[in-house]
Amino acid sequence: MRALRILLVEDDSMIGMFLGMTLEQMGHEVCAIETTEAGAVAAAERHQPDLMIVDAALSPGDGAAAVALILAHRAVRFIFASGDISRVKLRFPDAVVIQKPFNDTDLARAIHMAMDAAPAP
């Protein structure tokens, strides 16, 4: 798989930092790590990522709402990371969702699944 420009949206700074390092070790570029819904929307516009990995439950804000706003302006592939995947699947039934906590193998599999899918309109 080619190296991807990835936008991380995670409100826990330790998880975001660890996930960013993991993605870089996998050969990807983390173009930004955002912690809020508004920050995610602005960063997606600014950085035009190939893929977004989004915490579904942000505080403040909502990761799913951020994805909906971003998709209204451009097609981009995304993965939701959540401790409660059933709630995410209600809003985005076809989304790739990774259950927290996850390991590197789960993450790599989710990235492949998201990149193999057609980008959301």
Side-chain angles (χ1 to χ4, degrees):
M1 173 178 284
R2 69 178 173 86
L4 301 170
R5 289 177 40 81
I6 299 176
L7 168 61
L8 292 180
V9 183
E10 171 60 61
D11 61 353
D12 183 312
S13 61
M14 292 300 288
I15 292 173
M17 184 176 63
F18 176 74
L19 184 53
M21 290 186 321
T22 300
L23 290 164
E24 288 175 350
Q25 289 171 349
M26 291 176 161
H28 302 296
E29 173 193 349
V30 176
C31 58
I33 301 175
E34 294 296 331
T35 59
T36 66
E37 180 181 331
V41 173
E45 178 65 28
R46 185 171 52 255
H47 296 288
Q48 303 287 306
D50 300 311
L51 175 70
M52 302 182 301
I53 300 176
V54 181
D55 181 357
L58 298 175
S59 179
D62 179 335
V67 169
L69 287 168
I70 293 163
L71 293 178
H73 297 285
R74 74 181 283 265
V76 62
R77 291 172 172 90
F78 60 92
I79 298 168
F80 283 117
S82 178
D84 181 7
I85 62 173
S86 61
R87 204 172 117 222
V88 175
K89 285 292 194 176
L90 287 174
R91 282 182 80 179
F92 289 87
D94 297 327
V96 175
V97 183
I98 188 168
Q99 176 82 40
K100 286 181 176 181
F102 52 85
N103 61 36
D104 295 0
T105 303
D106 296 332
L107 179 60
R109 185 178 313 116
I111 291 170
H112 281 282
M113 289 173 57
M115 296 311 292
D116 286 345

